Amino acid sequence: MFRRSASFLYDCLLLIALFFIITAIAIAFNDGQAIQNPAYYLALYMVGFIFFDWFWRHGGQTLGMSAWRIKVEGTQHQSISFNQSLIRYLSGTVLFVFTLLYMFFNKDGTALHDRLSKTRIVMYYK
């Protein structure tokens, strides 16, 4: 649980930096005014998905996961598919608190978004 949380925090810092850049560009195109269009928030959500999807499907780990030596893979030790990545992201973000609480009540310690997407987190050592 600690490695997953630390990895997520690290990745959130990277995403926040990316969101700052996107927001700065969007504000420049909006005459310096705050952006209140729901499409903007949807775009940020999609950027988050693209970030995680690309890393999960190309090597199985984000930069934060690499730093904490954990990796996401399919339940059969294979790389995850686009559908698995999408299910993992949607269920992990929409059910965030519930999916993590599920870990404490599940005997094998997997999160709910792992179970729903048929993925798992593995630790590795170099």
Side-chain angles (χ1 to χ4, degrees):
M1 177 74 170
F2 175 75
R3 285 179 185 235
R4 288 176 82 123
S5 299
S7 167
F8 180 68
L9 178 62
Y10 189 96
D11 289 331
C12 282
L13 293 174
L14 294 170
L15 265 179
I16 288 169
L18 186 59
F19 289 169
F20 276 142
I21 293 167
I22 292 168
T23 301
I25 294 168
I27 287 175
F29 282 108
N30 199 33
D31 296 324
Q33 299 299 312
I35 302 164
Q36 299 177 359
N37 189 331
Y40 165 74
Y41 298 105
L42 180 61
L44 290 181
Y45 188 74
M46 289 178 10
V47 166
F49 170 69
I50 292 166
F51 173 86
F52 283 108
D53 176 62
W54 193 89
F55 281 109
W56 288 340
R57 292 194 302 133
H58 295 90
Q61 55 190 174
T62 61
L63 296 173
M65 294 170 84
S66 178
W68 287 96
R69 296 186 179 138
I70 58 176
K71 184 177 180 177
V72 64
E73 63 182 24
T75 54
Q76 304 297 319
H77 307 286
Q78 78 280 17
S79 297
I80 69 171
S81 68
F82 176 81
N83 287 340
Q84 286 175 304
S85 179
L86 182 62
I87 292 167
R88 182 178 169 79
Y89 183 76
L90 291 174
S91 60
T93 56
V94 173
L95 304 171
F96 182 73
V97 173
F98 301 109
T99 188
L100 295 179
L101 288 175
Y102 181 82
M103 289 176 63
F104 293 111
F105 301 105
N106 188 4
K107 65 180 177 181
D108 60 357
T110 59
L112 182 58
H113 61 272
D114 287 322
R115 171 136 0 237
L116 294 173
S117 64
K118 296 181 176 75
T119 60
R120 65 187 185 149
I121 296 291
V122 294
M123 288 186 274
Y124 69 92
Y125 302 96
K126 290 184 178 181

